[in-house]
Amino acid sequence: MAIIPTLKDNLVIENIRPNIEGGRFMIKREPGDTVTVQADIFRHSHEKYDAAIFFRHVPAEAPAKKTAKTAKAAKPAAVKWEQAPMHFVDNDLWEGSFTVNNIGYYEYKICAWTKEPKDVPTESPVMKLRVDPTYARTGTWYEMWPKSQGTDPTKSATWKDCEKQLDYIADLGFDTVYLVPIHPIGVTNRKGANNALHAKTDKKGKPLEPGCPYAVGNKFGGHYATDPELGSMKDFEHFAKAARAKGLRLALDIALNCSPDHPYVKEHPEWFYHEPDGSIKFAENPPKKYEDIYPFDYYNKNYKELWQEIENIILFWADKGVEIFRIDNPHTKPFPFWEWLIADVKEKRPELVFLAEAFTRPKMMHRLAKAGFDMSYTYFAWRSAKWEFEQYLKELTQSDAKEYMRGIFFPTTPDIFPKYLAYKGANAFKQRYFLAGTLSSLTGMYNGYELCENIPSPIKEELQDSEKYQYKVHNWAGPGIQDFVRRVNTARLEHPALQEYDNLDFHYCANDQLMVYSKRTGDDVLLFVCNMDMDNAQEGMVELDMAKLGLDNDSFFFLKDLITDESFVWRGNKNFVRLDPSKAPGHLLVLKKI
């Protein structure tokens, strides 16, 4: 039997956007952002109607207490709906917007009603969005390998050595120190220099090489401990406090792996995969195999206990001062686990941020972002041609991906050293950092990059003599591109346009070696021209979309280059540019209308 419609069915609300898979996943914003919502709204006949967005911030629930009475009292009070008007645009399209000011979760819905006579209003389903801290959208990261911050190539640096590097990092203009795993490292099958299957040992069998920190755990502890070679937990806490005092945020790499020596192996063998003979299975990330780590089985018989333990690890380090968690290889763990973990952590600690290290298939990367990760690694390191950058950046910043995925750009990482930098000098390293620092509001640099370390491994896409497997000393006072990095980072700090993610526009130049793009936020307008040729001077006419710059077609405008301190006056949309990589990789121009 057919269902008799109610009066509110006179109005139709459909095609709501932004919309991620029908509301299955939330869009993401930061405090102060405007959320613009569109929908098709219409009804039969000719009666006039109106519409509005109703929205409210949803406070996080307090932790449950021991008794039902106190647990009930801990629930947050209901928050009243606020209202923002919608207006008719065209062809039954309506639009409205509201501002989000607090981190955490918001609810919103669209209501429409006939003006005269009033009906019961029609309401859309309630949708949710997540507001993350501003540092989920903008940040300039310095990736520190703690054991390599000292001066003795035969032993590990300490937290005190790392603390001495903080002034250097802050002076370069970075705002975040990102630490690779800092836990005790396994001894069983410990890797040696340049990924040798076995570390060198002394006559008594004691390892002479540090091993890879992604093989977590030995007799000194696991994921709750710091490697004793670096120092004590108190030493780490002192380092964290010193970093905060210098305005540096801490990010920590969480590797959800265990060496065969990790305490979990004896305490919870059921948390791991097993071979047919009952032995615990080593990790694989095809085509790679890892002889020094065991992966967790996220659907073992006691999986809830494992999931909760991993959340406890996150909250433990958050209490130690870590605000951002870089998760190693998240694409090898189940999506339901990430959805639960990130949502549950953010209910308790909405200020915490998660980065997905997932150099994997594009759709996998997007799904992890939808599942809750605040930001993601990208394919930036493998893009080199102008057309590749324009195509990829439009995907990241101008498609629906911008609603849920924030991409961070690292020119290199401990695992990735692109061929185009091999044996190259400062020009090449400057160009890649220029691109990373101006295309995305999130960028990072692996320590040593500023020194133009450029000897590749003959067998892997990484540096030779990688500090992943050996003690290493960097020549921090040596020649490099520190001043250039400082200039780019200073511009990122001082210009709001570089702190936004999805405000990127491309302009035209017939020369495929000159890429032209801009960023605009309010009155802050920046124009960039990058020479994609690392070795030769390139020139050509750039053709600007003047409307995207807030200018008329025949406007005069003043340009100041923040890299070279040069000044220019241009008129109209066509102007000549010549860039010599020996002088600078590109123009970083502040634009002012005359």
mmCIF file of all heavy atoms in Angstrom, residues 304-345:
data_model
loop_
_atom_site.group_PDB
_atom_site.id
_atom_site.type_symbol
_atom_site.label_atom_id
_atom_site.label_comp_id
_atom_site.label_asym_id
_atom_site.label_seq_id
_atom_site.Cartn_x
_atom_site.Cartn_y
_atom_site.Cartn_z
ATOM 1 N N LYS A 304 39.742 -5.925 19.720
ATOM 2 C CA LYS A 304 39.306 -4.716 20.435
ATOM 3 C C LYS A 304 40.371 -4.268 21.431
ATOM 4 O O LYS A 304 40.596 -3.070 21.621
ATOM 5 C CB LYS A 304 37.973 -4.961 21.143
ATOM 6 C CG LYS A 304 36.788 -5.125 20.201
ATOM 7 C CD LYS A 304 35.488 -5.298 20.967
ATOM 8 C CE LYS A 304 34.308 -5.469 20.017
ATOM 9 N NZ LYS A 304 33.034 -5.650 20.772
ATOM 10 N N GLU A 305 41.004 -5.232 22.060
ATOM 11 C CA GLU A 305 42.068 -4.928 23.006
ATOM 12 C C GLU A 305 43.256 -4.277 22.290
ATOM 13 O O GLU A 305 43.846 -3.307 22.783
ATOM 14 C CB GLU A 305 42.505 -6.224 23.700
ATOM 15 C CG GLU A 305 43.510 -6.030 24.824
ATOM 16 C CD GLU A 305 43.892 -7.347 25.458
ATOM 17 O OE1 GLU A 305 43.843 -8.394 24.762
ATOM 18 O OE2 GLU A 305 44.251 -7.353 26.647
ATOM 19 N N LEU A 306 43.580 -4.797 21.110
ATOM 20 C CA LEU A 306 44.667 -4.218 20.312
ATOM 21 C C LEU A 306 44.323 -2.801 19.874
ATOM 22 O O LEU A 306 45.148 -1.887 19.996
ATOM 23 C CB LEU A 306 44.938 -5.097 19.089
ATOM 24 C CG LEU A 306 45.873 -4.500 18.036
ATOM 25 C CD1 LEU A 306 47.262 -4.263 18.606
ATOM 26 C CD2 LEU A 306 45.937 -5.404 16.798
ATOM 27 N N TRP A 307 43.127 -2.604 19.361
ATOM 28 C CA TRP A 307 42.725 -1.270 18.895
ATOM 29 C C TRP A 307 42.807 -0.257 20.035
ATOM 30 O O TRP A 307 43.303 0.856 19.867
ATOM 31 C CB TRP A 307 41.307 -1.311 18.336
ATOM 32 C CG TRP A 307 41.155 -2.046 17.040
ATOM 33 C CD1 TRP A 307 42.002 -3.000 16.529
ATOM 34 C CD2 TRP A 307 40.100 -1.906 16.093
ATOM 35 N NE1 TRP A 307 41.525 -3.458 15.326
ATOM 36 C CE2 TRP A 307 40.363 -2.816 15.025
ATOM 37 C CE3 TRP A 307 38.944 -1.140 16.044
ATOM 38 C CZ2 TRP A 307 39.508 -2.930 13.915
ATOM 39 C CZ3 TRP A 307 38.091 -1.249 14.947
ATOM 40 C CH2 TRP A 307 38.372 -2.131 13.899
ATOM 41 N N GLN A 308 42.339 -0.652 21.207
ATOM 42 C CA GLN A 308 42.368 0.264 22.336
ATOM 43 C C GLN A 308 43.796 0.562 22.761
ATOM 44 O O GLN A 308 44.127 1.691 23.146
ATOM 45 C CB GLN A 308 41.583 -0.315 23.511
ATOM 46 C CG GLN A 308 41.428 0.641 24.688
ATOM 47 C CD GLN A 308 40.712 1.921 24.290
ATOM 48 O OE1 GLN A 308 39.578 1.901 23.826
ATOM 49 N NE2 GLN A 308 41.380 3.063 24.461
ATOM 50 N N GLU A 309 44.667 -0.429 22.682
ATOM 51 C CA GLU A 309 46.064 -0.210 23.043
ATOM 52 C C GLU A 309 46.721 0.810 22.114
ATOM 53 O O GLU A 309 47.500 1.668 22.558
ATOM 54 C CB GLU A 309 46.836 -1.539 22.997
ATOM 55 C CG GLU A 309 48.307 -1.419 23.338
ATOM 56 C CD GLU A 309 48.587 -1.108 24.804
ATOM 57 O OE1 GLU A 309 47.622 -0.904 25.581
ATOM 58 O OE2 GLU A 309 49.780 -1.085 25.184
ATOM 59 N N ILE A 310 46.405 0.745 20.838
ATOM 60 C CA ILE A 310 46.975 1.707 19.892
ATOM 61 C C ILE A 310 46.464 3.112 20.194
ATOM 62 O O ILE A 310 47.228 4.093 20.147
ATOM 63 C CB ILE A 310 46.655 1.291 18.446
ATOM 64 C CG1 ILE A 310 47.392 -0.016 18.113
ATOM 65 C CG2 ILE A 310 47.043 2.395 17.462
ATOM 66 C CD1 ILE A 310 46.995 -0.629 16.785
ATOM 67 N N GLU A 311 45.200 3.235 20.533
ATOM 68 C CA GLU A 311 44.683 4.557 20.933
ATOM 69 C C GLU A 311 45.399 5.039 22.191
ATOM 70 O O GLU A 311 45.741 6.227 22.306
ATOM 71 C CB GLU A 311 43.177 4.507 21.183
ATOM 72 C CG GLU A 311 42.629 5.866 21.608
ATOM 73 C CD GLU A 311 41.118 5.876 21.794
ATOM 74 O OE1 GLU A 311 40.500 4.786 21.820
ATOM 75 O OE2 GLU A 311 40.549 6.968 21.913
ATOM 76 N N ASN A 312 45.643 4.141 23.119
ATOM 77 C CA ASN A 312 46.350 4.530 24.343
ATOM 78 C C ASN A 312 47.748 5.059 24.039
ATOM 79 O O ASN A 312 48.231 5.987 24.706
ATOM 80 C CB ASN A 312 46.440 3.340 25.309
ATOM 81 C CG ASN A 312 45.087 2.931 25.863
ATOM 82 O OD1 ASN A 312 44.117 3.699 25.811
ATOM 83 N ND2 ASN A 312 44.996 1.725 26.387
ATOM 84 N N ILE A 313 48.411 4.470 23.040
ATOM 85 C CA ILE A 313 49.746 4.943 22.641
ATOM 86 C C ILE A 313 49.662 6.380 22.136
ATOM 87 O O ILE A 313 50.475 7.240 22.508
ATOM 88 C CB ILE A 313 50.340 4.017 21.556
ATOM 89 C CG1 ILE A 313 50.658 2.637 22.143
ATOM 90 C CG2 ILE A 313 51.590 4.644 20.935
ATOM 91 C CD1 ILE A 313 50.978 1.590 21.094
ATOM 92 N N ILE A 314 48.682 6.645 21.301
ATOM 93 C CA ILE A 314 48.498 8.010 20.767
ATOM 94 C C ILE A 314 48.276 9.002 21.903
ATOM 95 O O ILE A 314 48.918 10.062 21.973
ATOM 96 C CB ILE A 314 47.308 8.042 19.792
ATOM 97 C CG1 ILE A 314 47.550 7.137 18.580
ATOM 98 C CG2 ILE A 314 47.008 9.479 19.359
ATOM 99 C CD1 ILE A 314 48.636 7.590 17.657
ATOM 100 N N LEU A 315 47.394 8.657 22.812
ATOM 101 C CA LEU A 315 47.063 9.582 23.904
ATOM 102 C C LEU A 315 48.240 9.747 24.864
ATOM 103 O O LEU A 315 48.430 10.826 25.437
ATOM 104 C CB LEU A 315 45.823 9.078 24.646
ATOM 105 C CG LEU A 315 44.540 9.049 23.796
ATOM 106 C CD1 LEU A 315 43.389 8.422 24.595
ATOM 107 C CD2 LEU A 315 44.153 10.437 23.329
ATOM 108 N N PHE A 316 49.035 8.697 25.031
ATOM 109 C CA PHE A 316 50.223 8.786 25.879
ATOM 110 C C PHE A 316 51.181 9.851 25.350
ATOM 111 O O PHE A 316 51.655 10.715 26.105
ATOM 112 C CB PHE A 316 50.918 7.418 25.939
ATOM 113 C CG PHE A 316 52.243 7.428 26.648
ATOM 114 C CD1 PHE A 316 52.305 7.298 28.029
ATOM 115 C CD2 PHE A 316 53.431 7.569 25.941
ATOM 116 C CE1 PHE A 316 53.529 7.309 28.695
ATOM 117 C CE2 PHE A 316 54.662 7.583 26.595
ATOM 118 C CZ PHE A 316 54.703 7.454 27.976
ATOM 119 N N TRP A 317 51.483 9.803 24.054
ATOM 120 C CA TRP A 317 52.424 10.769 23.487
ATOM 121 C C TRP A 317 51.814 12.157 23.357
ATOM 122 O O TRP A 317 52.534 13.165 23.415
ATOM 123 C CB TRP A 317 52.960 10.262 22.150
ATOM 124 C CG TRP A 317 53.886 9.101 22.363
ATOM 125 C CD1 TRP A 317 53.639 7.787 22.132
ATOM 126 C CD2 TRP A 317 55.207 9.152 22.931
ATOM 127 N NE1 TRP A 317 54.712 7.008 22.502
ATOM 128 C CE2 TRP A 317 55.686 7.822 22.991
ATOM 129 C CE3 TRP A 317 56.021 10.184 23.379
ATOM 130 C CZ2 TRP A 317 56.951 7.511 23.496
ATOM 131 C CZ3 TRP A 317 57.288 9.881 23.874
ATOM 132 C CH2 TRP A 317 57.742 8.559 23.926
ATOM 133 N N ALA A 318 50.491 12.210 23.231
ATOM 134 C CA ALA A 318 49.835 13.520 23.252
ATOM 135 C C ALA A 318 50.047 14.197 24.596
ATOM 136 O O ALA A 318 50.295 15.409 24.673
ATOM 137 C CB ALA A 318 48.341 13.366 22.951
ATOM 138 N N ASP A 319 49.987 13.411 25.660
ATOM 139 C CA ASP A 319 50.233 13.957 26.993
ATOM 140 C C ASP A 319 51.685 14.398 27.171
ATOM 141 O O ASP A 319 51.985 15.216 28.051
ATOM 142 C CB ASP A 319 49.878 12.920 28.063
ATOM 143 C CG ASP A 319 48.381 12.704 28.199
ATOM 144 O OD1 ASP A 319 47.612 13.584 27.761
ATOM 145 O OD2 ASP A 319 47.982 11.658 28.734
ATOM 146 N N LYS A 320 52.580 13.884 26.327
ATOM 147 C CA LYS A 320 53.992 14.281 26.390
ATOM 148 C C LYS A 320 54.283 15.518 25.540
ATOM 149 O O LYS A 320 55.423 15.984 25.497
ATOM 150 C CB LYS A 320 54.888 13.137 25.919
ATOM 151 C CG LYS A 320 54.800 11.870 26.763
ATOM 152 C CD LYS A 320 55.307 12.095 28.182
ATOM 153 C CE LYS A 320 55.252 10.815 28.994
ATOM 154 N NZ LYS A 320 55.661 11.032 30.416
ATOM 155 N N GLY A 321 53.261 16.033 24.849
ATOM 156 C CA GLY A 321 53.444 17.258 24.081
ATOM 157 C C GLY A 321 53.379 17.110 22.584
ATOM 158 O O GLY A 321 53.570 18.084 21.843
ATOM 159 N N VAL A 322 53.096 15.908 22.079
ATOM 160 C CA VAL A 322 52.979 15.695 20.636
ATOM 161 C C VAL A 322 51.577 16.085 20.180
ATOM 162 O O VAL A 322 50.582 15.657 20.766
ATOM 163 C CB VAL A 322 53.265 14.231 20.264
ATOM 164 C CG1 VAL A 322 53.052 13.993 18.774
ATOM 165 C CG2 VAL A 322 54.685 13.851 20.675
ATOM 166 N N GLU A 323 51.497 16.908 19.133
ATOM 167 C CA GLU A 323 50.195 17.357 18.625
ATOM 168 C C GLU A 323 49.836 16.740 17.281
ATOM 169 O O GLU A 323 48.661 16.736 16.897
ATOM 170 C CB GLU A 323 50.191 18.879 18.481
ATOM 171 C CG GLU A 323 50.295 19.620 19.809
ATOM 172 C CD GLU A 323 50.343 21.122 19.615
ATOM 173 O OE1 GLU A 323 51.428 21.634 19.263
ATOM 174 O OE2 GLU A 323 49.310 21.784 19.809
ATOM 175 N N ILE A 324 50.840 16.248 16.551
ATOM 176 C CA ILE A 324 50.606 15.692 15.218
ATOM 177 C C ILE A 324 51.210 14.288 15.166
ATOM 178 O O ILE A 324 52.337 14.060 15.616
ATOM 179 C CB ILE A 324 51.246 16.573 14.128
ATOM 180 C CG1 ILE A 324 50.714 18.007 14.207
ATOM 181 C CG2 ILE A 324 50.975 16.002 12.738
ATOM 182 C CD1 ILE A 324 51.427 18.983 13.297
ATOM 183 N N PHE A 325 50.455 13.362 14.590
ATOM 184 C CA PHE A 325 50.917 11.980 14.480
ATOM 185 C C PHE A 325 50.989 11.585 13.010
ATOM 186 O O PHE A 325 49.982 11.561 12.313
ATOM 187 C CB PHE A 325 49.993 11.045 15.259
ATOM 188 C CG PHE A 325 50.066 11.281 16.746
ATOM 189 C CD1 PHE A 325 49.241 12.217 17.365
ATOM 190 C CD2 PHE A 325 50.998 10.614 17.515
ATOM 191 C CE1 PHE A 325 49.324 12.465 18.721
ATOM 192 C CE2 PHE A 325 51.088 10.848 18.888
ATOM 193 C CZ PHE A 325 50.256 11.777 19.484
ATOM 194 N N ARG A 326 52.211 11.313 12.569
ATOM 195 C CA ARG A 326 52.447 10.819 11.212
ATOM 196 C C ARG A 326 52.379 9.302 11.293
ATOM 197 O O ARG A 326 53.133 8.680 12.041
ATOM 198 C CB ARG A 326 53.795 11.323 10.720
ATOM 199 C CG ARG A 326 54.144 10.902 9.281
ATOM 200 C CD ARG A 326 54.984 9.653 9.283
ATOM 201 N NE ARG A 326 55.744 9.478 8.050
ATOM 202 C CZ ARG A 326 56.364 8.365 7.724
ATOM 203 N NH1 ARG A 326 56.321 7.305 8.535
ATOM 204 N NH2 ARG A 326 57.045 8.270 6.610
ATOM 205 N N ILE A 327 51.461 8.701 10.575
ATOM 206 C CA ILE A 327 51.238 7.265 10.668
ATOM 207 C C ILE A 327 51.907 6.562 9.492
ATOM 208 O O ILE A 327 51.638 6.860 8.329
ATOM 209 C CB ILE A 327 49.739 6.934 10.689
ATOM 210 C CG1 ILE A 327 49.031 7.688 11.828
ATOM 211 C CG2 ILE A 327 49.530 5.433 10.822
ATOM 212 C CD1 ILE A 327 49.464 7.306 13.214
ATOM 213 N N ASP A 328 52.774 5.630 9.818
ATOM 214 C CA ASP A 328 53.535 4.910 8.814
ATOM 215 C C ASP A 328 52.674 3.831 8.160
ATOM 216 O O ASP A 328 51.993 3.062 8.837
ATOM 217 C CB ASP A 328 54.753 4.275 9.496
ATOM 218 C CG ASP A 328 55.715 3.646 8.510
ATOM 219 O OD1 ASP A 328 56.240 4.387 7.656
ATOM 220 O OD2 ASP A 328 55.932 2.431 8.594
ATOM 221 N N ASN A 329 52.692 3.806 6.832
ATOM 222 C CA ASN A 329 51.991 2.764 6.061
ATOM 223 C C ASN A 329 50.545 2.523 6.490
ATOM 224 O O ASN A 329 50.152 1.378 6.772
ATOM 225 C CB ASN A 329 52.763 1.441 6.147
ATOM 226 C CG ASN A 329 53.977 1.416 5.239
ATOM 227 O OD1 ASN A 329 54.068 2.159 4.276
ATOM 228 N ND2 ASN A 329 54.920 0.550 5.557
ATOM 229 N N PRO A 330 49.704 3.540 6.549
ATOM 230 C CA PRO A 330 48.326 3.310 6.997
ATOM 231 C C PRO A 330 47.502 2.481 6.019
ATOM 232 O O PRO A 330 46.486 1.895 6.406
ATOM 233 C CB PRO A 330 47.761 4.731 7.117
ATOM 234 C CG PRO A 330 48.550 5.537 6.135
ATOM 235 C CD PRO A 330 49.943 4.948 6.191
ATOM 236 N N HIS A 331 47.950 2.412 4.757
ATOM 237 C CA HIS A 331 47.189 1.671 3.752
ATOM 238 C C HIS A 331 47.276 0.167 3.952
ATOM 239 O O HIS A 331 46.568 -0.588 3.271
ATOM 240 C CB HIS A 331 47.680 2.032 2.349
ATOM 241 C CG HIS A 331 49.136 1.793 2.129
ATOM 242 N ND1 HIS A 331 50.100 2.587 2.690
ATOM 243 C CD2 HIS A 331 49.802 0.841 1.414
ATOM 244 C CE1 HIS A 331 51.295 2.155 2.328
ATOM 245 N NE2 HIS A 331 51.153 1.095 1.572
ATOM 246 N N THR A 332 48.121 -0.289 4.886
ATOM 247 C CA THR A 332 48.203 -1.718 5.178
ATOM 248 C C THR A 332 47.346 -2.103 6.381
ATOM 249 O O THR A 332 47.408 -3.247 6.836
ATOM 250 C CB THR A 332 49.663 -2.136 5.434
ATOM 251 O OG1 THR A 332 50.169 -1.431 6.569
ATOM 252 C CG2 THR A 332 50.536 -1.837 4.217
ATOM 253 N N LYS A 333 46.557 -1.161 6.881
ATOM 254 C CA LYS A 333 45.669 -1.407 8.014
ATOM 255 C C LYS A 333 44.218 -1.202 7.559
ATOM 256 O O LYS A 333 43.955 -0.455 6.633
ATOM 257 C CB LYS A 333 45.972 -0.463 9.187
ATOM 258 C CG LYS A 333 47.283 -0.768 9.933
ATOM 259 C CD LYS A 333 48.504 -0.284 9.211
ATOM 260 C CE LYS A 333 49.786 -0.507 9.997
ATOM 261 N NZ LYS A 333 50.991 -0.195 9.180
ATOM 262 N N PRO A 334 43.248 -1.832 8.229
ATOM 263 C CA PRO A 334 41.854 -1.767 7.770
ATOM 264 C C PRO A 334 41.255 -0.365 7.899
ATOM 265 O O PRO A 334 41.500 0.361 8.866
ATOM 266 C CB PRO A 334 41.122 -2.745 8.702
ATOM 267 C CG PRO A 334 42.179 -3.587 9.298
ATOM 268 C CD PRO A 334 43.410 -2.744 9.381
ATOM 269 N N PHE A 335 40.419 -0.002 6.938
ATOM 270 C CA PHE A 335 39.730 1.287 6.989
ATOM 271 C C PHE A 335 38.850 1.439 8.229
ATOM 272 O O PHE A 335 38.828 2.509 8.850
ATOM 273 C CB PHE A 335 38.870 1.488 5.732
ATOM 274 C CG PHE A 335 39.662 1.570 4.460
ATOM 275 C CD1 PHE A 335 39.396 0.698 3.413
ATOM 276 C CD2 PHE A 335 40.672 2.503 4.300
ATOM 277 C CE1 PHE A 335 40.114 0.763 2.234
ATOM 278 C CE2 PHE A 335 41.400 2.586 3.125
ATOM 279 C CZ PHE A 335 41.121 1.710 2.086
ATOM 280 N N PRO A 336 38.078 0.399 8.613
ATOM 281 C CA PRO A 336 37.251 0.561 9.812
ATOM 282 C C PRO A 336 38.069 0.902 11.052
ATOM 283 O O PRO A 336 37.589 1.629 11.925
ATOM 284 C CB PRO A 336 36.556 -0.801 9.959
ATOM 285 C CG PRO A 336 36.522 -1.345 8.574
ATOM 286 C CD PRO A 336 37.811 -0.901 7.949
ATOM 287 N N PHE A 337 39.287 0.372 11.136
ATOM 288 C CA PHE A 337 40.147 0.702 12.274
ATOM 289 C C PHE A 337 40.466 2.186 12.294
ATOM 290 O O PHE A 337 40.368 2.838 13.332
ATOM 291 C CB PHE A 337 41.438 -0.118 12.210
ATOM 292 C CG PHE A 337 42.512 0.386 13.135
ATOM 293 C CD1 PHE A 337 42.392 0.244 14.509
ATOM 294 C CD2 PHE A 337 43.637 1.036 12.635
ATOM 295 C CE1 PHE A 337 43.376 0.729 15.367
ATOM 296 C CE2 PHE A 337 44.626 1.518 13.472
ATOM 297 C CZ PHE A 337 44.486 1.365 14.845
ATOM 298 N N TRP A 338 40.842 2.748 11.139
ATOM 299 C CA TRP A 338 41.186 4.182 11.103
ATOM 300 C C TRP A 338 39.970 5.049 11.394
ATOM 301 O O TRP A 338 40.081 6.056 12.105
ATOM 302 C CB TRP A 338 41.786 4.549 9.752
ATOM 303 C CG TRP A 338 43.130 3.950 9.500
ATOM 304 C CD1 TRP A 338 43.506 3.181 8.435
ATOM 305 C CD2 TRP A 338 44.284 4.050 10.344
ATOM 306 N NE1 TRP A 338 44.822 2.798 8.570
ATOM 307 C CE2 TRP A 338 45.321 3.322 9.726
ATOM 308 C CE3 TRP A 338 44.533 4.680 11.563
ATOM 309 C CZ2 TRP A 338 46.607 3.214 10.282
ATOM 310 C CZ3 TRP A 338 45.807 4.568 12.129
ATOM 311 C CH2 TRP A 338 46.814 3.842 11.493
ATOM 312 N N GLU A 339 38.825 4.670 10.843
ATOM 313 C CA GLU A 339 37.609 5.459 11.115
ATOM 314 C C GLU A 339 37.318 5.494 12.613
ATOM 315 O O GLU A 339 36.994 6.540 13.176
ATOM 316 C CB GLU A 339 36.420 4.889 10.342
ATOM 317 C CG GLU A 339 36.487 5.151 8.854
ATOM 318 C CD GLU A 339 35.177 4.801 8.168
ATOM 319 O OE1 GLU A 339 34.133 5.335 8.578
ATOM 320 O OE2 GLU A 339 35.196 3.976 7.227
ATOM 321 N N TRP A 340 37.420 4.340 13.244
ATOM 322 C CA TRP A 340 37.163 4.287 14.695
ATOM 323 C C TRP A 340 38.222 5.053 15.470
ATOM 324 O O TRP A 340 37.908 5.878 16.335
ATOM 325 C CB TRP A 340 37.126 2.833 15.171
ATOM 326 C CG TRP A 340 37.101 2.753 16.664
ATOM 327 C CD1 TRP A 340 36.008 2.885 17.483
ATOM 328 C CD2 TRP A 340 38.242 2.606 17.531
ATOM 329 N NE1 TRP A 340 36.397 2.804 18.803
ATOM 330 C CE2 TRP A 340 37.757 2.646 18.867
ATOM 331 C CE3 TRP A 340 39.599 2.443 17.320
ATOM 332 C CZ2 TRP A 340 38.595 2.522 19.973
ATOM 333 C CZ3 TRP A 340 40.447 2.324 18.412
ATOM 334 C CH2 TRP A 340 39.949 2.361 19.725
ATOM 335 N N LEU A 341 39.496 4.772 15.185
ATOM 336 C CA LEU A 341 40.577 5.348 15.984
ATOM 337 C C LEU A 341 40.580 6.872 15.914
ATOM 338 O O LEU A 341 40.598 7.550 16.949
ATOM 339 C CB LEU A 341 41.926 4.816 15.504
ATOM 340 C CG LEU A 341 43.134 5.431 16.212
ATOM 341 C CD1 LEU A 341 43.250 4.895 17.626
ATOM 342 C CD2 LEU A 341 44.421 5.184 15.436
ATOM 343 N N ILE A 342 40.563 7.425 14.702
ATOM 344 C CA ILE A 342 40.675 8.876 14.562
ATOM 345 C C ILE A 342 39.459 9.567 15.149
ATOM 346 O O ILE A 342 39.580 10.583 15.852
ATOM 347 C CB ILE A 342 40.901 9.253 13.090
ATOM 348 C CG1 ILE A 342 42.248 8.689 12.619
ATOM 349 C CG2 ILE A 342 40.866 10.765 12.903
ATOM 350 C CD1 ILE A 342 42.522 8.869 11.139
ATOM 351 N N ALA A 343 38.270 9.021 14.911
ATOM 352 C CA ALA A 343 37.057 9.632 15.468
ATOM 353 C C ALA A 343 37.078 9.579 16.990
ATOM 354 O O ALA A 343 36.736 10.564 17.660
ATOM 355 C CB ALA A 343 35.815 8.924 14.926
ATOM 356 N N ASP A 344 37.509 8.447 17.549
ATOM 357 C CA ASP A 344 37.501 8.314 19.001
ATOM 358 C C ASP A 344 38.539 9.220 19.651
ATOM 359 O O ASP A 344 38.270 9.847 20.684
ATOM 360 C CB ASP A 344 37.755 6.850 19.398
ATOM 361 C CG ASP A 344 37.108 6.501 20.722
ATOM 362 O OD1 ASP A 344 35.888 6.698 20.856
ATOM 363 O OD2 ASP A 344 37.823 6.061 21.640
ATOM 364 N N VAL A 345 39.722 9.303 19.042
ATOM 365 C CA VAL A 345 40.749 10.196 19.578
ATOM 366 C C VAL A 345 40.282 11.645 19.507
ATOM 367 O O VAL A 345 40.434 12.416 20.470
ATOM 368 C CB VAL A 345 42.075 10.024 18.816
ATOM 369 C CG1 VAL A 345 43.050 11.143 19.172
ATOM 370 C CG2 VAL A 345 42.705 8.668 19.148
#
